[in-house]
């Protein structure tokens, strides 16, 4: 069966510090991968998605970047965090050949920028 | 373009009474529709999905939803609420062969004892 992992689960970082969040998927090959952010009291915002190694599409211009160094690994990064980067970050995957695009979500990372 | 409107930001019910969460969608093509549930500080879990088979879709934990094309709706129901149903619920639409999902703003459900 497929599983998706995210770490860390929680993170408190000062403004201006770097960020690296990691997401890995097990039990499937060549998945679509996604990063979402959920700010307090708001819905989910798609940040990045990837259909293959090294292929990253950005949905919203911002202080963040994403990379996919391996087939089942997706990393969200920042060189300098802003207060507005606080939120709940969710990674998700879907089957690339599916026409229904059902997405499976990880447990999330709670990021607080102080 | 696709979009979703969840008509209630908050729903409060008594334990053992029915739950209704309303969702309207807009889609240029034949859509796929999903309901996800999120408990506090957790990821999203798929409750059910509509993918052009039966219009009445049964999901986990006793939830079901009915796809009504004429009304562009996909409302979620459960006949008897349980305390564990207290969570946030998201209605989601996807056009076929599109990688992206469009999320509603969410409905927070509270269950009174």
């Amino acid at each position: 069966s497929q599983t998706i992992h995210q770490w860390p689960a929680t993170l408190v970082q000062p403004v201006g510090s770097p960020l690296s969040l990691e997401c890995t998927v097990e039990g499937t090959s060549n998945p679509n991968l996604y990063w979402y952010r959920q700010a307090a009291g708001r819905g989910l915002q798609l940040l990045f998605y990837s259909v293959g190694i090294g292929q990253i599409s950005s949905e919203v211009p911002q202080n963040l970047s994403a990379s996919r160094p391996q087939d089942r690994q997706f990393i969200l990064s920042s060189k300098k965090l802003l207060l507005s980067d606080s939120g709940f970050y969710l990674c998700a995957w879907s089957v690339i050949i599916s026409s229904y695009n059902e997405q499976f979500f990880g447990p999330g990372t709670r990021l607080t920028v102080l | 373009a696709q979009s979703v409107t969840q008509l209630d930001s908050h729903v409060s019910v008594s334990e053992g009474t029915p739950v209704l969460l309303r969702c309207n969608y807009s889609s240029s093509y034949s859509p796929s529709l999903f309901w996800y549930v999120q408990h506090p500080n957790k990821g999203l879990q798929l409750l059910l999905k509509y993918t052009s088979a039966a219009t009445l879709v049964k999901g986990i934990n006793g939830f079901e939803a009915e796809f009504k094309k004429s009304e562009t709706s996909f409302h979620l129901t459960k006949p008897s609420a349980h305390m564990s149903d207290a969570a946030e619920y998201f209605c989601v639409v996807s056009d076929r062969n599109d990688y992206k999902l469009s999320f509603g703003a969410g409905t927070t459900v509270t269950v009174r004892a």
Side-chain angles (χ1 to χ4, degrees):
Chain A
S1 64
Q2 300 89 3
T3 56
I4 179 169
H5 304 278
Q6 288 185 245
W7 63 90
T10 61
L11 190 60
V12 179
Q13 291 284 96
V15 170
S17 64
L19 173 73
S20 181
L21 303 181
E22 190 165 343
C23 169
T24 58
V25 180
E26 296 177 357
T28 187
S29 296
N30 198 26
N32 292 337
L33 295 171
Y34 309 83
W35 277 112
Y36 291 88
R37 177 169 59 202
Q38 189 176 26
R42 300 175 65 179
L44 274 77
Q45 178 186 34
L46 179 63
L47 302 175
F48 301 94
Y49 70 94
S50 172
V51 300
I53 296 174
Q55 301 178 62
I56 310 293
S57 296
S58 174
E59 287 296 299
V60 182
Q62 58 202 320
N63 186 41
L64 301 169
S65 62
S67 61
R68 186 171 177 173
Q70 300 180 43
D71 180 44
R72 290 169 289 177
Q73 184 185 31
F74 204 24
I75 297 172
L76 184 69
S77 304
S78 174
K79 292 182 179 178
K80 289 186 177 182
L81 283 169
L82 307 173
L83 286 174
S84 58
D85 291 325
S86 292
F88 193 51
Y89 288 81
L90 289 159
C91 181
W93 70 274
S94 67
V95 177
I96 201 166
I97 60 173
S98 169
S99 62
Y100 303 129
N101 197 24
E102 175 182 349
Q103 293 185 14
F104 303 91
F105 287 81
T109 294
R110 173 72 60 190
L111 172 65
T112 303
V113 182
L114 302 175
Chain B
Q2 58 206 29
S3 65
V4 171
T5 302
Q6 291 184 242
L7 302 172
D8 308 288
S9 60
H10 186 246
V11 169
S12 179
V13 299
S14 297
E15 190 175 21
T17 65
V19 181
L20 169 64
L21 304 183
R22 298 181 295 166
C23 172
N24 288 112
Y25 71 91
S26 172
S27 176
S28 302
Y29 304 101
S30 180
S32 294
L33 291 156
F34 311 88
W35 276 98
Y36 284 86
V37 61
Q38 184 181 31
H39 289 89
N41 291 309
K42 301 291 185 183
L44 276 69
Q45 180 185 19
L46 181 68
L47 279 177
L48 50 79
K49 61 183 177 183
Y50 166 76
T51 55
S52 80
T55 57
L56 183 62
V57 181
K58 294 188 182 297
I60 62 171
N61 301 336
F63 285 94
E64 64 180 36
E66 187 171 9
F67 173 72
K68 292 187 176 180
K69 186 175 181 179
S70 60
E71 299 176 11
T72 60
S73 70
F74 191 57
H75 301 334
L76 181 71
T77 60
K78 182 174 181 177
S80 178
H82 191 272
M83 296 298 289
S84 61
D85 295 327
E88 188 158 21
Y89 293 78
F90 292 95
C91 183
V92 181
V93 65
S94 173
D95 284 337
R96 299 297 171 82
N97 300 313
D98 189 344
Y99 298 125
K100 304 175 196 175
L101 301 180
S102 292
F103 286 80
T107 299
T108 300
V109 172
T110 57
V111 182
R112 303 184 302 272

